[in-house]
Amino acid sequence: MVLDTADYTAISITTIKGTTKLFITANTNASKEAKHTLKINNKKYTWVGSYDYK
């Protein structure tokens, strides 16, 4: 788990090939039109909708 707050949860997922992805979900304001900006470890993530997977 990378982040767990009332507003957001972020987890790091590593594939069997060693690629690491980040899954972030909005725990509040999860409408598909909602715009989100979040900073994790000095990196800014911006997305629209309930989740981001990169």
Side-chain angles (χ1 to χ4, degrees), residues 5-50:
T5 68
D7 293 327
Y8 300 101
T9 299
I11 58 171
S12 178
I13 301 168
T14 302
T15 67
I16 57 174
K17 294 183 179 182
T19 305
T20 301
K21 303 264 188 171
L22 185 65
F23 178 76
I24 307 169
T25 186
N27 299 329
T28 58
N29 195 12
S31 91
K32 62 183 177 181
E33 295 89 16
K35 295 178 183 178
H36 302 277
T37 301
L38 183 63
K39 194 172 189 178
I40 302 173
N41 296 329
N42 293 320
K43 185 170 181 182
K44 185 177 177 181
Y45 297 91
T46 303
W47 74 97
V48 175
S50 61

